[in-house]
PDB file of all heavy atoms in Angstrom:
ATOM      1  N   ARG A   1     -25.955 -14.777-177.358  1.00 77.00           N
ATOM      2  CA  ARG A   1     -26.707 -13.532-177.356  1.00 77.00           C
ATOM      3  C   ARG A   1     -25.777 -12.392-177.753  1.00 77.00           C
ATOM      4  O   ARG A   1     -24.616 -12.338-177.370  1.00 77.00           O
ATOM      5  CB  ARG A   1     -27.313 -13.273-175.978  1.00 77.00           C
ATOM      6  CG  ARG A   1     -28.340 -14.322-175.583  1.00 77.00           C
ATOM      7  CD  ARG A   1     -28.802 -14.148-174.164  1.00 77.00           C
ATOM      8  NE  ARG A   1     -29.544 -12.906-174.000  1.00 77.00           N
ATOM      9  CZ  ARG A   1     -29.968 -12.458-172.823  1.00 77.00           C
ATOM     10  NH1 ARG A   1     -29.715 -13.151-171.726  1.00 77.00           N
ATOM     11  NH2 ARG A   1     -30.643 -11.322-172.736  1.00 77.00           N
ATOM     12  N   GLN A   2     -26.312 -11.476-178.521  1.00 78.00           N
ATOM     13  CA  GLN A   2     -25.500 -10.402-179.068  1.00 78.00           C
ATOM     14  C   GLN A   2     -25.661  -9.110-178.263  1.00 78.00           C
ATOM     15  O   GLN A   2     -26.681  -8.878-177.618  1.00 78.00           O
ATOM     16  CB  GLN A   2     -25.901 -10.136-180.529  1.00 78.00           C
ATOM     17  CG  GLN A   2     -25.747 -11.348-181.431  1.00 78.00           C
ATOM     18  CD  GLN A   2     -24.311 -11.826-181.539  1.00 78.00           C
ATOM     19  OE1 GLN A   2     -23.399 -11.016-181.699  1.00 78.00           O
ATOM     20  NE2 GLN A   2     -24.109 -13.117-181.445  1.00 78.00           N
ATOM     21  N   ASN A   3     -24.624  -8.275-178.319  1.00 73.00           N
ATOM     22  CA  ASN A   3     -24.668  -6.913-177.788  1.00 73.00           C
ATOM     23  C   ASN A   3     -24.979  -6.853-176.296  1.00 73.00           C
ATOM     24  O   ASN A   3     -25.643  -5.927-175.818  1.00 73.00           O
ATOM     25  CB  ASN A   3     -25.707  -6.067-178.549  1.00 73.00           C
ATOM     26  CG  ASN A   3     -25.439  -6.043-180.041  1.00 73.00           C
ATOM     27  OD1 ASN A   3     -24.283  -5.950-180.462  1.00 73.00           O
ATOM     28  ND2 ASN A   3     -26.494  -6.153-180.845  1.00 73.00           N
ATOM     29  N   LEU A   4     -24.498  -7.840-175.557  1.00 73.00           N
ATOM     30  CA  LEU A   4     -24.672  -7.806-174.107  1.00 73.00           C
ATOM     31  C   LEU A   4     -23.413  -7.244-173.452  1.00 73.00           C
ATOM     32  O   LEU A   4     -22.294  -7.607-173.814  1.00 73.00           O
ATOM     33  CB  LEU A   4     -24.936  -9.206-173.562  1.00 73.00           C
ATOM     34  CG  LEU A   4     -26.361  -9.738-173.676  1.00 73.00           C
ATOM     35  CD1 LEU A   4     -26.426 -11.124-173.062  1.00 73.00           C
ATOM     36  CD2 LEU A   4     -27.353  -8.825-172.987  1.00 73.00           C
ATOM     37  N   ARG A   5     -23.615  -6.383-172.485  1.00 75.00           N
ATOM     38  CA  ARG A   5     -22.485  -5.880-171.713  1.00 75.00           C
ATOM     39  C   ARG A   5     -22.161  -6.867-170.598  1.00 75.00           C
ATOM     40  O   ARG A   5     -23.043  -7.552-170.092  1.00 75.00           O
ATOM     41  CB  ARG A   5     -22.836  -4.517-171.113  1.00 75.00           C
ATOM     42  CG  ARG A   5     -23.143  -3.444-172.161  1.00 75.00           C
ATOM     43  CD  ARG A   5     -23.700  -2.194-171.496  1.00 75.00           C
ATOM     44  NE  ARG A   5     -24.938  -2.491-170.782  1.00 75.00           N
ATOM     45  CZ  ARG A   5     -25.603  -1.595-170.065  1.00 75.00           C
ATOM     46  NH1 ARG A   5     -25.158  -0.360-169.957  1.00 75.00           N
ATOM     47  NH2 ARG A   5     -26.720  -1.944-169.440  1.00 75.00           N
ATOM     48  N   LEU A   6     -20.894  -6.906-170.214  1.00 69.00           N
ATOM     49  CA  LEU A   6     -20.468  -7.844-169.183  1.00 69.00           C
ATOM     50  C   LEU A   6     -21.270  -7.661-167.900  1.00 69.00           C
ATOM     51  O   LEU A   6     -21.659  -8.625-167.245  1.00 69.00           O
ATOM     52  CB  LEU A   6     -18.971  -7.677-168.898  1.00 69.00           C
ATOM     53  CG  LEU A   6     -18.368  -8.632-167.859  1.00 69.00           C
ATOM     54  CD1 LEU A   6     -18.542 -10.084-168.293  1.00 69.00           C
ATOM     55  CD2 LEU A   6     -16.894  -8.319-167.642  1.00 69.00           C
ATOM     56  N   LYS A   7     -21.582  -6.418-167.549  1.00 70.00           N
ATOM     57  CA  LYS A   7     -22.284  -6.178-166.281  1.00 70.00           C
ATOM     58  C   LYS A   7     -23.734  -6.660-166.320  1.00 70.00           C
ATOM     59  O   LYS A   7     -24.382  -6.768-165.282  1.00 70.00           O
ATOM     60  CB  LYS A   7     -22.237  -4.696-165.923  1.00 70.00           C
ATOM     61  CG  LYS A   7     -23.047  -3.784-166.831  1.00 70.00           C
ATOM     62  CD  LYS A   7     -22.968  -2.350-166.323  1.00 70.00           C
ATOM     63  CE  LYS A   7     -23.823  -1.401-167.156  1.00 70.00           C
ATOM     64  NZ  LYS A   7     -23.770  -0.027-166.633  1.00 70.00           N
ATOM     65  N   ASP A   8     -24.248  -6.956-167.523  1.00 72.00           N
ATOM     66  CA  ASP A   8     -25.609  -7.470-167.640  1.00 72.00           C
ATOM     67  C   ASP A   8     -25.658  -9.001-167.646  1.00 72.00           C
ATOM     68  O   ASP A   8     -26.737  -9.588-167.726  1.00 72.00           O
ATOM     69  CB  ASP A   8     -26.258  -6.957-168.932  1.00 72.00           C
ATOM     70  CG  ASP A   8     -26.417  -5.444-168.940  1.00 72.00           C
ATOM     71  OD1 ASP A   8     -26.695  -4.878-167.866  1.00 72.00           O
ATOM     72  OD2 ASP A   8     -26.247  -4.838-170.010  1.00 72.00           O
ATOM     73  N   MET A   9     -24.498  -9.632-167.576  1.00 71.00           N
ATOM     74  CA  MET A   9     -24.445 -11.085-167.674  1.00 71.00           C
ATOM     75  C   MET A   9     -24.338 -11.723-166.292  1.00 71.00           C
ATOM     76  O   MET A   9     -23.567 -11.276-165.448  1.00 71.00           O
ATOM     77  CB  MET A   9     -23.225 -11.511-168.498  1.00 71.00           C
ATOM     78  CG  MET A   9     -23.236 -10.995-169.917  1.00 71.00           C
ATOM     79  SD  MET A   9     -21.759 -11.548-170.792  1.00 71.00           S
ATOM     80  CE  MET A   9     -21.951 -10.673-172.340  1.00 71.00           C
ATOM     81  N   PRO A  10     -25.115 -12.779-166.037  1.00 70.00           N
ATOM     82  CA  PRO A  10     -24.971 -13.517-164.773  1.00 70.00           C
ATOM     83  C   PRO A  10     -23.738 -14.420-164.836  1.00 70.00           C
ATOM     84  O   PRO A  10     -23.356 -14.902-165.907  1.00 70.00           O
ATOM     85  CB  PRO A  10     -26.250 -14.346-164.687  1.00 70.00           C
ATOM     86  CG  PRO A  10     -26.647 -14.543-166.113  1.00 70.00           C
ATOM     87  CD  PRO A  10     -26.215 -13.293-166.850  1.00 70.00           C
ATOM     88  N   ILE A  11     -23.120 -14.616-163.701  1.00 67.00           N
ATOM     89  CA  ILE A  11     -21.969 -15.504-163.604  1.00 67.00           C
ATOM     90  C   ILE A  11     -22.304 -16.587-162.582  1.00 67.00           C
ATOM     91  O   ILE A  11     -22.732 -16.284-161.469  1.00 67.00           O
ATOM     92  CB  ILE A  11     -20.699 -14.754-163.175  1.00 67.00           C
ATOM     93  CG1 ILE A  11     -20.250 -13.817-164.292  1.00 67.00           C
ATOM     94  CG2 ILE A  11     -19.587 -15.726-162.818  1.00 67.00           C
ATOM     95  CD1 ILE A  11     -19.051 -12.991-163.921  1.00 67.00           C
ATOM     96  N   TYR A  12     -22.119 -17.836-162.983  1.00 65.00           N
ATOM     97  CA  TYR A  12     -22.366 -18.963-162.086  1.00 65.00           C
ATOM     98  C   TYR A  12     -21.032 -19.643-161.799  1.00 65.00           C
ATOM     99  O   TYR A  12     -20.288 -19.957-162.712  1.00 65.00           O
ATOM    100  CB  TYR A  12     -23.351 -19.940-162.713  1.00 65.00           C
ATOM    101  CG  TYR A  12     -24.696 -19.318-162.982  1.00 65.00           C
ATOM    102  CD1 TYR A  12     -24.961 -18.712-164.211  1.00 65.00           C
ATOM    103  CD2 TYR A  12     -25.678 -19.300-162.001  1.00 65.00           C
ATOM    104  CE1 TYR A  12     -26.193 -18.120-164.456  1.00 65.00           C
ATOM    105  CE2 TYR A  12     -26.904 -18.716-162.233  1.00 65.00           C
ATOM    106  CZ  TYR A  12     -27.156 -18.124-163.467  1.00 65.00           C
ATOM    107  OH  TYR A  12     -28.368 -17.529-163.707  1.00 65.00           O
ATOM    108  N   PHE A  13     -20.768 -19.852-160.532  1.00 62.00           N
ATOM    109  CA  PHE A  13     -19.467 -20.384-160.135  1.00 62.00           C
ATOM    110  C   PHE A  13     -19.668 -21.580-159.217  1.00 62.00           C
ATOM    111  O   PHE A  13     -20.446 -21.531-158.280  1.00 62.00           O
ATOM    112  CB  PHE A  13     -18.661 -19.302-159.411  1.00 62.00           C
ATOM    113  CG  PHE A  13     -17.293 -19.754-158.959  1.00 62.00           C
ATOM    114  CD1 PHE A  13     -16.208 -19.647-159.795  1.00 62.00           C
ATOM    115  CD2 PHE A  13     -17.108 -20.300-157.702  1.00 62.00           C
ATOM    116  CE1 PHE A  13     -14.958 -20.060-159.397  1.00 62.00           C
ATOM    117  CE2 PHE A  13     -15.865 -20.725-157.289  1.00 62.00           C
ATOM    118  CZ  PHE A  13     -14.787 -20.609-158.136  1.00 62.00           C
ATOM    119  N   ASN A  14     -18.952 -22.664-159.525  1.00 61.00           N
ATOM    120  CA  ASN A  14     -18.982 -23.852-158.680  1.00 61.00           C
ATOM    121  C   ASN A  14     -17.589 -24.438-158.681  1.00 61.00           C
ATOM    122  O   ASN A  14     -17.065 -24.771-159.738  1.00 61.00           O
ATOM    123  CB  ASN A  14     -19.999 -24.863-159.228  1.00 61.00           C
ATOM    124  CG  ASN A  14     -20.142 -26.079-158.332  1.00 61.00           C
ATOM    125  OD1 ASN A  14     -19.360 -26.276-157.412  1.00 61.00           O
ATOM    126  ND2 ASN A  14     -21.140 -26.898-158.617  1.00 61.00           N
ATOM    127  N   ASP A  15     -16.996 -24.545-157.495  1.00 56.00           N
ATOM    128  CA  ASP A  15     -15.638 -25.081-157.446  1.00 56.00           C
ATOM    129  C   ASP A  15     -15.634 -26.603-157.478  1.00 56.00           C
ATOM    130  O   ASP A  15     -14.590 -27.231-157.389  1.00 56.00           O
ATOM    131  CB  ASP A  15     -14.864 -24.549-156.237  1.00 56.00           C
ATOM    132  CG  ASP A  15     -15.349 -25.123-154.926  1.00 56.00           C
ATOM    133  OD1 ASP A  15     -16.475 -25.641-154.893  1.00 56.00           O
ATOM    134  OD2 ASP A  15     -14.612 -25.062-153.925  1.00 56.00           O
ATOM    135  N   GLY A  16     -16.802 -27.205-157.590  1.00 56.00           N
ATOM    136  CA  GLY A  16     -16.881 -28.639-157.829  1.00 56.00           C
ATOM    137  C   GLY A  16     -17.008 -29.484-156.580  1.00 56.00           C
ATOM    138  O   GLY A  16     -17.949 -30.238-156.436  1.00 56.00           O
ATOM    139  N   PHE A  17     -16.066 -29.342-155.653  1.00 55.00           N
ATOM    140  CA  PHE A  17     -16.056 -30.239-154.513  1.00 55.00           C
ATOM    141  C   PHE A  17     -15.963 -29.503-153.181  1.00 55.00           C
ATOM    142  O   PHE A  17     -15.566 -30.071-152.176  1.00 55.00           O
ATOM    143  CB  PHE A  17     -14.878 -31.233-154.626  1.00 55.00           C
ATOM    144  CG  PHE A  17     -15.017 -32.145-155.799  1.00 55.00           C
ATOM    145  CD1 PHE A  17     -14.476 -31.792-157.030  1.00 55.00           C
ATOM    146  CD2 PHE A  17     -15.709 -33.329-155.687  1.00 55.00           C
ATOM    147  CE1 PHE A  17     -14.616 -32.637-158.113  1.00 55.00           C
ATOM    148  CE2 PHE A  17     -15.845 -34.175-156.781  1.00 55.00           C
ATOM    149  CZ  PHE A  17     -15.290 -33.832-157.993  1.00 55.00           C
ATOM    150  N   GLY A  18     -16.328 -28.213-153.157  1.00 55.00           N
ATOM    151  CA  GLY A  18     -16.316 -27.484-151.902  1.00 55.00           C
ATOM    152  C   GLY A  18     -14.928 -27.261-151.340  1.00 55.00           C
ATOM    153  O   GLY A  18     -14.738 -27.219-150.129  1.00 55.00           O
ATOM    154  N   THR A  19     -13.937 -27.150-152.201  1.00 55.00           N
ATOM    155  CA  THR A  19     -12.568 -26.990-151.723  1.00 55.00           C
ATOM    156  C   THR A  19     -12.242 -25.536-151.394  1.00 55.00           C
ATOM    157  O   THR A  19     -11.208 -25.253-150.817  1.00 55.00           O
ATOM    158  CB  THR A  19     -11.565 -27.496-152.768  1.00 55.00           C
ATOM    159  OG1 THR A  19     -11.840 -26.856-154.016  1.00 55.00           O
ATOM    160  CG2 THR A  19     -11.722 -29.001-152.952  1.00 55.00           C
ATOM    161  N   LEU A  20     -13.115 -24.615-151.803  1.00 54.00           N
ATOM    162  CA  LEU A  20     -12.926 -23.213-151.464  1.00 54.00           C
ATOM    163  C   LEU A  20     -13.963 -22.792-150.441  1.00 54.00           C
ATOM    164  O   LEU A  20     -15.124 -23.164-150.538  1.00 54.00           O
ATOM    165  CB  LEU A  20     -13.078 -22.324-152.713  1.00 54.00           C
ATOM    166  CG  LEU A  20     -12.039 -22.463-153.797  1.00 54.00           C
ATOM    167  CD1 LEU A  20     -12.434 -21.612-154.998  1.00 54.00           C
ATOM    168  CD2 LEU A  20     -10.672 -22.039-153.305  1.00 54.00           C
ATOM    169  N   GLU A  21     -13.541 -22.044-149.444  1.00 57.00           N
ATOM    170  CA  GLU A  21     -14.486 -21.507-148.469  1.00 57.00           C
ATOM    171  C   GLU A  21     -15.331 -20.428-149.138  1.00 57.00           C
ATOM    172  O   GLU A  21     -14.925 -19.799-150.118  1.00 57.00           O
ATOM    173  CB  GLU A  21     -13.725 -20.922-147.279  1.00 57.00           C
ATOM    174  CG  GLU A  21     -12.903 -21.944-146.497  1.00 57.00           C
ATOM    175  CD  GLU A  21     -13.781 -22.989-145.834  1.00 57.00           C
ATOM    176  OE1 GLU A  21     -14.943 -22.659-145.521  1.00 57.00           O
ATOM    177  OE2 GLU A  21     -13.303 -24.111-145.641  1.00 57.00           O
ATOM    178  N   ASP A  22     -16.528 -20.204-148.593  1.00 57.00           N
ATOM    179  CA  ASP A  22     -17.413 -19.191-149.154  1.00 57.00           C
ATOM    180  C   ASP A  22     -16.737 -17.835-149.246  1.00 57.00           C
ATOM    181  O   ASP A  22     -16.905 -17.098-150.215  1.00 57.00           O
ATOM    182  CB  ASP A  22     -18.682 -19.067-148.299  1.00 57.00           C
ATOM    183  CG  ASP A  22     -19.586 -20.285-148.451  1.00 57.00           C
ATOM    184  OD1 ASP A  22     -19.401 -21.021-149.432  1.00 57.00           O
ATOM    185  OD2 ASP A  22     -20.456 -20.473-147.596  1.00 57.00           O
ATOM    186  N   MET A  23     -15.951 -17.488-148.245  1.00 59.00           N
ATOM    187  CA  MET A  23     -15.287 -16.187-148.240  1.00 59.00           C
ATOM    188  C   MET A  23     -14.288 -16.086-149.383  1.00 59.00           C
ATOM    189  O   MET A  23     -14.158 -15.044-150.014  1.00 59.00           O
ATOM    190  CB  MET A  23     -14.562 -15.960-146.903  1.00 59.00           C
ATOM    191  CG  MET A  23     -13.929 -14.584-146.792  1.00 59.00           C
ATOM    192  SD  MET A  23     -15.173 -13.254-146.812  1.00 59.00           S
ATOM    193  CE  MET A  23     -15.905 -13.493-145.207  1.00 59.00           C
ATOM    194  N   GLU A  24     -13.594 -17.193-149.655  1.00 66.00           N
ATOM    195  CA  GLU A  24     -12.624 -17.183-150.743  1.00 66.00           C
ATOM    196  C   GLU A  24     -13.319 -16.985-152.086  1.00 66.00           C
ATOM    197  O   GLU A  24     -12.835 -16.259-152.951  1.00 66.00           O
ATOM    198  CB  GLU A  24     -11.840 -18.499-150.758  1.00 66.00           C
ATOM    199  CG  GLU A  24     -10.906 -18.672-149.581  1.00 66.00           C
ATOM    200  CD  GLU A  24     -10.183 -19.996-149.659  1.00 66.00           C
ATOM    201  OE1 GLU A  24     -10.847 -21.041-149.506  1.00 66.00           O
ATOM    202  OE2 GLU A  24      -8.956 -19.996-149.882  1.00 66.00           O
ATOM    203  N   VAL A  25     -14.463 -17.650-152.270  1.00 64.00           N
ATOM    204  CA  VAL A  25     -15.225 -17.499-153.509  1.00 64.00           C
ATOM    205  C   VAL A  25     -15.695 -16.063-153.655  1.00 64.00           C
ATOM    206  O   VAL A  25     -15.577 -15.453-154.733  1.00 64.00           O
ATOM    207  CB  VAL A  25     -16.432 -18.463-153.524  1.00 64.00           C
ATOM    208  CG1 VAL A  25     -17.303 -18.201-154.750  1.00 64.00           C
ATOM    209  CG2 VAL A  25     -15.953 -19.909-153.525  1.00 64.00           C
ATOM    210  N   ASP A  26     -16.227 -15.499-152.567  1.00 64.00           N
ATOM    211  CA  ASP A  26     -16.724 -14.134-152.607  1.00 64.00           C
ATOM    212  C   ASP A  26     -15.600 -13.159-152.935  1.00 64.00           C
ATOM    213  O   ASP A  26     -15.767 -12.239-153.740  1.00 64.00           O
ATOM    214  CB  ASP A  26     -17.355 -13.772-151.261  1.00 64.00           C
ATOM    215  CG  ASP A  26     -18.107 -12.447-151.315  1.00 64.00           C
ATOM    216  OD1 ASP A  26     -19.076 -12.363-152.066  1.00 64.00           O
ATOM    217  OD2 ASP A  26     -17.697 -11.506-150.610  1.00 64.00           O
ATOM    218  N   THR A  27     -14.439 -13.382-152.339  1.00 69.00           N
ATOM    219  CA  THR A  27     -13.292 -12.512-152.597  1.00 69.00           C
ATOM    220  C   THR A  27     -12.844 -12.630-154.050  1.00 69.00           C
ATOM    221  O   THR A  27     -12.554 -11.629-154.716  1.00 69.00           O
ATOM    222  CB  THR A  27     -12.115 -12.873-151.665  1.00 69.00           C
ATOM    223  OG1 THR A  27     -12.538 -12.715-150.318  1.00 69.00           O
ATOM    224  CG2 THR A  27     -10.913 -11.977-151.937  1.00 69.00           C
ATOM    225  N   PHE A  28     -12.800 -13.846-154.543  1.00 66.00           N
ATOM    226  CA  PHE A  28     -12.393 -14.085-155.928  1.00 66.00           C
ATOM    227  C   PHE A  28     -13.313 -13.355-156.902  1.00 66.00           C
ATOM    228  O   PHE A  28     -12.868 -12.648-157.804  1.00 66.00           O
ATOM    229  CB  PHE A  28     -12.413 -15.584-156.208  1.00 66.00           C
ATOM    230  CG  PHE A  28     -12.237 -15.944-157.663  1.00 66.00           C
ATOM    231  CD1 PHE A  28     -10.974 -15.998-158.228  1.00 66.00           C
ATOM    232  CD2 PHE A  28     -13.332 -16.237-158.455  1.00 66.00           C
ATOM    233  CE1 PHE A  28     -10.810 -16.321-159.562  1.00 66.00           C
ATOM    234  CE2 PHE A  28     -13.179 -16.562-159.792  1.00 66.00           C
ATOM    235  CZ  PHE A  28     -11.913 -16.609-160.346  1.00 66.00           C
ATOM    236  N   LEU A  29     -14.623 -13.516-156.726  1.00 65.00           N
ATOM    237  CA  LEU A  29     -15.572 -12.904-157.640  1.00 65.00           C
ATOM    238  C   LEU A  29     -15.602 -11.391-157.499  1.00 65.00           C
ATOM    239  O   LEU A  29     -15.687 -10.673-158.494  1.00 65.00           O
ATOM    240  CB  LEU A  29     -16.975 -13.483-157.411  1.00 65.00           C
ATOM    241  CG  LEU A  29     -17.124 -14.957-157.782  1.00 65.00           C
ATOM    242  CD1 LEU A  29     -18.492 -15.477-157.358  1.00 65.00           C
ATOM    243  CD2 LEU A  29     -16.942 -15.162-159.271  1.00 65.00           C
ATOM    244  N   ASN A  30     -15.529 -10.917-156.251  1.00 65.00           N
ATOM    245  CA  ASN A  30     -15.539  -9.472-156.029  1.00 65.00           C
ATOM    246  C   ASN A  30     -14.359  -8.796-156.702  1.00 65.00           C
ATOM    247  O   ASN A  30     -14.488  -7.728-157.307  1.00 65.00           O
ATOM    248  CB  ASN A  30     -15.522  -9.172-154.529  1.00 65.00           C
ATOM    249  CG  ASN A  30     -16.914  -8.903-153.978  1.00 65.00           C
ATOM    250  OD1 ASN A  30     -17.619  -8.031-154.474  1.00 65.00           O
ATOM    251  ND2 ASN A  30     -17.302  -9.657-152.976  1.00 65.00           N
ATOM    252  N   SER A  31     -13.187  -9.423-156.599  1.00 65.00           N
ATOM    253  CA  SER A  31     -11.971  -8.794-157.113  1.00 65.00           C
ATOM    254  C   SER A  31     -11.978  -8.703-158.635  1.00 65.00           C
ATOM    255  O   SER A  31     -11.322  -7.851-159.216  1.00 65.00           O
ATOM    256  CB  SER A  31     -10.733  -9.577-156.644  1.00 65.00           C
ATOM    257  OG  SER A  31     -10.737 -10.884-157.184  1.00 65.00           O
ATOM    258  N   ARG A  32     -12.731  -9.584-159.283  1.00 62.00           N
ATOM    259  CA  ARG A  32     -12.700  -9.629-160.746  1.00 62.00           C
ATOM    260  C   ARG A  32     -13.953  -9.080-161.416  1.00 62.00           C
ATOM    261  O   ARG A  32     -13.880  -8.574-162.532  1.00 62.00           O
ATOM    262  CB  ARG A  32     -12.466 -11.079-161.201  1.00 62.00           C
ATOM    263  CG  ARG A  32     -11.033 -11.526-160.923  1.00 62.00           C
ATOM    264  CD  ARG A  32     -10.933 -13.037-160.927  1.00 62.00           C
ATOM    265  NE  ARG A  32      -9.545 -13.464-160.789  1.00 62.00           N
ATOM    266  CZ  ARG A  32      -8.902 -13.470-159.633  1.00 62.00           C
ATOM    267  NH1 ARG A  32      -9.505 -13.074-158.528  1.00 62.00           N
ATOM    268  NH2 ARG A  32      -7.636 -13.865-159.575  1.00 62.00           N
ATOM    269  N   PHE A  33     -15.089  -9.178-160.731  1.00 62.00           N
ATOM    270  CA  PHE A  33     -16.335  -8.876-161.435  1.00 62.00           C
ATOM    271  C   PHE A  33     -17.225  -7.854-160.767  1.00 62.00           C
ATOM    272  O   PHE A  33     -18.263  -7.505-161.322  1.00 62.00           O
ATOM    273  CB  PHE A  33     -17.142 -10.171-161.636  1.00 62.00           C
ATOM    274  CG  PHE A  33     -16.402 -11.226-162.401  1.00 62.00           C
ATOM    275  CD1 PHE A  33     -16.029 -12.413-161.779  1.00 62.00           C
ATOM    276  CD2 PHE A  33     -16.073 -11.045-163.728  1.00 62.00           C
ATOM    277  CE1 PHE A  33     -15.347 -13.389-162.492  1.00 62.00           C
ATOM    278  CE2 PHE A  33     -15.393 -12.003-164.442  1.00 62.00           C
ATOM    279  CZ  PHE A  33     -15.025 -13.184-163.820  1.00 62.00           C
ATOM    280  N   ARG A  34     -16.908  -7.386-159.581  1.00 58.00           N
ATOM    281  CA  ARG A  34     -17.768  -6.426-158.926  1.00 58.00           C
ATOM    282  C   ARG A  34     -17.906  -5.169-159.794  1.00 58.00           C
ATOM    283  O   ARG A  34     -16.919  -4.588-160.216  1.00 58.00           O
ATOM    284  CB  ARG A  34     -17.198  -6.039-157.543  1.00 58.00           C
ATOM    285  CG  ARG A  34     -17.990  -4.957-156.814  1.00 58.00           C
ATOM    286  CD  ARG A  34     -19.429  -5.429-156.537  1.00 58.00           C
ATOM    287  NE  ARG A  34     -19.470  -6.497-155.554  1.00 58.00           N
ATOM    288  CZ  ARG A  34     -20.564  -7.192-155.282  1.00 58.00           C
ATOM    289  NH1 ARG A  34     -21.671  -6.943-155.935  1.00 58.00           N
ATOM    290  NH2 ARG A  34     -20.534  -8.149-154.375  1.00 58.00           N
ATOM    291  N   GLY A  35     -19.118  -4.815-160.098  1.00 55.00           N
ATOM    292  CA  GLY A  35     -19.383  -3.657-160.944  1.00 55.00           C
ATOM    293  C   GLY A  35     -19.304  -3.971-162.417  1.00 55.00           C
ATOM    294  O   GLY A  35     -19.666  -3.148-163.262  1.00 55.00           O
TER     295      GLY A  35
END
C-alpha cells in the first residue's frame, strides 16, 4: 500500500513461544512505536 504513515499502520507481534512476559512485550512496543 502506498502513502501510508507509520502511525496508520497496525503492528502484529508474536514472540513465537511465549518466552516474553506480557509486560515485556508492552514495554518493547511502547518504547518504539507509541504515537
Side-chain angles (χ1 to χ4, degrees):
R1 296 173 66 186
Q2 301 297 316
N3 304 320
L4 279 181
R5 298 171 300 177
L6 182 60
K7 69 177 183 178
D8 296 324
M9 299 180 186
I11 291 177
Y12 299 91
F13 180 88
N14 184 349
D15 71 341
F17 295 90
T19 53
L20 293 174
E21 297 296 332
D22 289 342
M23 184 64 71
E24 291 179 292
V25 174
D26 190 63
T27 300
F28 170 82
L29 293 173
N30 263 305
S31 64
R32 288 161 175 78
F33 302 114
R34 176 62 69 189

